[in-house]
């Protein structure tokens, strides 16, 4: 079922952010909404922590934000104005004077219809229309366990032609059990939300990871591509062979090991991470990205993650100005590595300095590709004529 959501036009210049750590949904939404000037908002993004009752959260959003369209998803962590946080419900009110948009819910998502998704994309473009001197982009929030993001982003890019797609896969802490997107006043599993935006704010897309290829290569010799499962690597049981190449015992494999020792694939002129989710009971490896028989994988080596983050966020516009804000989608496995290295406080300081808001994901979408262990974002800049405002 595909539906076109009524158009939303926005007000104010920069997004307002409301947050709450309350564990009762109505209190959390009420506290966060009270921090926003809803008369100057036109659309609200909601990023929901794990542990909140979703039916009650939906009811609270419908009550406290009744006159506004609200879109978002469940998350594996939040990036608030304070940096990395857990257990924080966050509302982001987008500025009406600088954005306008149309949204479509794709539900059910599985299996992805390439033709149908491309049609949805074209319908969104037509419904939005054009405005002189405004630029267009698309945000994608999708079920992070659907195993459909690779096809989904490819189909969207084909349908949108010249419109760039940026997004993050919904999460649920580290449970890896079920994820949801929020649209039309309720939470949907097995769904994706496409939000087409036009803005008169200059913006730049951001995408980077902190890995370099090593000399250790491996070949997928048996896989179940539809389920993103690799049963054999180099003709041996997948988990055992990966552990051997990493240099650890099979029983020591964990999300932390996967975060620090990803596998990479080479595509075009770039390397992309194919992140491992977990070891299956039969010794197979479950991945968070597309995988296939015969695929050559290269073990990755991590570079300094904090320096890479700081450098990657240090973008500037044509007049050497820093962004007013960055909407960021940051893989939960990056955060796991940061936590394991006891660098959470320093990383949050970098995120605050660069004015990043967003969430931790189960996967990221950028430049027509679904990736893992990558920071993907949109840096929005103040228009030149507003610099002295």
């Amino acid at each position: 079922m595909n539906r076109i959501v009524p158009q939303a036009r926005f007000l104010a210049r920069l997004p307002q952010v409301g947050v709450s750590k309350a564990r009762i949904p109505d209190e959390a939404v009420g506290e966060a909404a009270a921090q926003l000037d809803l008369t100057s908002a036109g659309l609200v993004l909601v990023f929901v922590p794990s542990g909140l009752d979703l039916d009650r959260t939906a009811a609270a959003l419908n009550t406290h934000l009744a006159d506004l369209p609200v879109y978002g998803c469940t998350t594996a962590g939040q990036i608030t104005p304070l940096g990395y946080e857990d257990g924080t419900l966050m509302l982001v009110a987008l500025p009406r004077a600088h954005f306008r948009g149309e949204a479509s819910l794709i539900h059910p998502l599985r299996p992805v219809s390439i033709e149908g998704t491309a049609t949805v994309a074209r319908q969104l473009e037509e419904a939005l229309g054009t405005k002189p001197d405004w630029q267009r982009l698309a945000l994608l929030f999708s079920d992070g366990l659907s195993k459909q993001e690779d096809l989904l982003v490819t189909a969207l890019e084909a349908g949108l032609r010249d419109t760039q797609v940026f997004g993050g896969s919904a999460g649920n802490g580290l449970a890896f059990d079920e994820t949801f997107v929020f649209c039309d006043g309720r939470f949907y599993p097995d769904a994706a939300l496409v939000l087409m935006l036009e803005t008169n704010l200059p913006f730049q897309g951001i995408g980077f990871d902190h890995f370099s290829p090593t000399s250790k290569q491996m070949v997928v010799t048996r896989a179940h591509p539809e389920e993103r499962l690799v049963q054999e690597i180099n003709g041996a049981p997948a988990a055992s062979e990966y552990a051997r190449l990493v240099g650890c015992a099979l029983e020591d494999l964990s999300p932390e090991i996967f975060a620090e020792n990803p596998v990479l694939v080479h595509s075009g002129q770039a390397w992309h991470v194919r992140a491992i989710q977990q070891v299956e009971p039969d010794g197979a490896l479950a991945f968070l990205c597309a995988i296939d028989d015969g695929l050559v994988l290269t073990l990755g080596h991590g570079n300094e993650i904090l320096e890479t983050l700081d450098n990657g966020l240090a973008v500037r516009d044509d007049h050497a100005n820093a962004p007013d804000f960055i909407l960021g989608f940051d893989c939960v496995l990056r955060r796991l590595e940061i936590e394991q290295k006891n660098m959470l406080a320093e990383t949050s300081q970098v995120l605050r300095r660069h004015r990043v808001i967003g969430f931790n994901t189960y996967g990221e979408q950028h430049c027509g590709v679904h990736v893992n262990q990558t920071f993907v974002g949109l840096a929005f800049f103040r228009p030149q004529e507003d610099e002295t405002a």
Side-chain angles (χ1 to χ4, degrees):
M1 174 181 64
N2 295 331
R3 294 195 300 281
I4 299 295
V5 181
Q7 185 167 327
R9 291 187 168 85
F10 315 124
L11 174 69
R13 179 167 61 205
L14 299 177
Q16 303 172 66
V17 179
V19 298
S20 175
K21 286 186 173 292
R23 303 313 294 161
I24 298 174
D26 189 69
E27 291 181 6
V29 175
E31 181 181 3
Q35 299 165 39
L36 308 175
D37 176 7
L38 297 180
T39 63
S40 66
L43 176 146
V44 176
L45 300 178
V46 57
F47 300 129
V48 182
S50 59
L52 283 186
D53 181 277
L54 296 185
D55 288 339
R56 294 174 64 190
T57 301
L61 289 167
N62 295 335
T63 297
H64 292 281
L65 302 170
D67 297 327
L68 293 168
V70 182
Y71 308 111
C73 63
T74 56
T75 72
Q78 304 78 50
I79 307 174
T80 78
L82 295 179
Y84 279 145
E85 291 202 68
D86 279 319
T88 302
L89 180 120
M90 181 165 67
L91 302 177
V92 180
L94 293 179
R96 183 186 299 151
H98 294 283
F99 292 88
R100 63 191 196 96
E102 292 276 355
S104 181
L105 177 73
I106 302 174
H107 176 71
L109 179 57
R110 290 174 285 191
V112 166
S113 166
I114 294 179
E115 181 179 351
T117 302
T119 298
V120 167
R122 288 191 290 269
Q123 288 175 342
L124 282 173
E125 286 192 317
E126 292 172 2
L128 182 60
T130 59
K131 192 168 183 177
D133 301 321
W134 286 46
Q135 300 180 79
R136 182 172 291 176
L137 62 104
L139 297 181
L140 174 64
F141 303 132
S142 58
D143 182 341
L145 297 173
S146 66
K147 301 182 176 70
Q148 302 295 300
E149 300 102 318
D150 304 275
L151 282 175
L152 178 63
V153 71
T154 298
L156 284 175
E157 289 275 348
L160 294 176
R161 297 179 294 271
D162 298 326
T163 301
Q164 293 179 287
V165 179
F166 303 87
S169 301
N172 183 23
L174 294 177
F176 292 104
D177 52 3
E178 195 170 25
T179 71
F180 298 80
V181 299
F182 185 81
C183 182
D184 289 349
R186 57 175 286 197
F187 288 94
Y188 292 86
D190 187 25
L193 170 69
V194 186
L195 178 57
M196 180 80 66
L197 297 175
E198 272 197 339
T199 178
N200 62 355
L201 297 178
F203 68 87
Q204 292 181 26
I206 300 173
F208 57 86
D209 59 47
H210 62 291
F211 297 105
S212 301
T214 68
S215 60
K216 294 182 179 180
Q217 290 190 326
M218 60 199 92
V219 179
V220 177
T221 48
R222 188 159 67 93
H224 189 342
E226 292 79 9
E227 295 300 321
R228 294 177 177 170
L229 288 176
V230 173
Q231 288 108 343
E232 290 184 0
I233 292 173
N234 297 338
S240 297
E241 180 66 359
Y242 170 81
R244 184 187 70 82
L245 290 168
V246 169
C248 76
L250 175 61
E251 58 270 21
D252 291 335
L253 291 180
S254 65
E256 289 77 16
I257 293 292
F258 301 145
E260 289 200 23
N261 301 275
V263 295
L264 314 178
V265 296
H266 194 252
S267 177
Q269 302 298 314
W271 291 91
H272 300 292
V273 180
R274 290 287 184 264
I276 300 170
Q277 176 185 338
Q278 62 189 20
V279 178
E280 296 295 312
D282 62 358
L285 291 174
F287 279 72
L288 289 168
C289 258
I291 210 77
D292 208 347
D293 285 304
L295 188 65
V296 177
L297 305 174
T298 299
L299 196 64
H301 167 73
N303 301 311
E304 213 293 313
I305 190 169
L306 192 60
E307 180 181 354
T308 303
L309 177 67
D310 198 15
N311 291 338
L313 296 176
V315 294
R316 295 291 184 271
D317 67 8
D318 294 339
H319 305 281
N321 297 312
D324 267 339
F325 71 98
I326 296 174
L327 182 62
F329 314 116
D330 193 20
C331 184
V332 67
L333 295 179
R334 288 171 48 85
R335 177 166 175 165
L336 272 179
E337 180 180 344
I338 287 166
E339 290 177 346
Q340 187 177 18
K341 293 179 175 177
N342 296 315
M343 299 169 59
L344 201 60
E346 298 96 320
T347 304
S348 290
Q349 185 177 22
V350 172
L351 294 169
R352 288 196 302 270
R353 186 168 68 251
H354 291 288
R355 304 188 68 181
V356 181
I357 52 175
F359 69 97
N360 293 113
T361 74
Y362 281 0
E364 306 77 54
Q365 294 82 48
H366 179 50
C367 295
V369 180
H370 173 62
V371 294
N372 298 127
Q373 283 179 266
T374 301
F375 183 100
V376 168
L378 281 158
F380 291 94
F381 301 88
R382 184 178 302 183
Q384 182 68 12
E385 60 270 19
D386 289 353
E387 283 186 0
T388 58

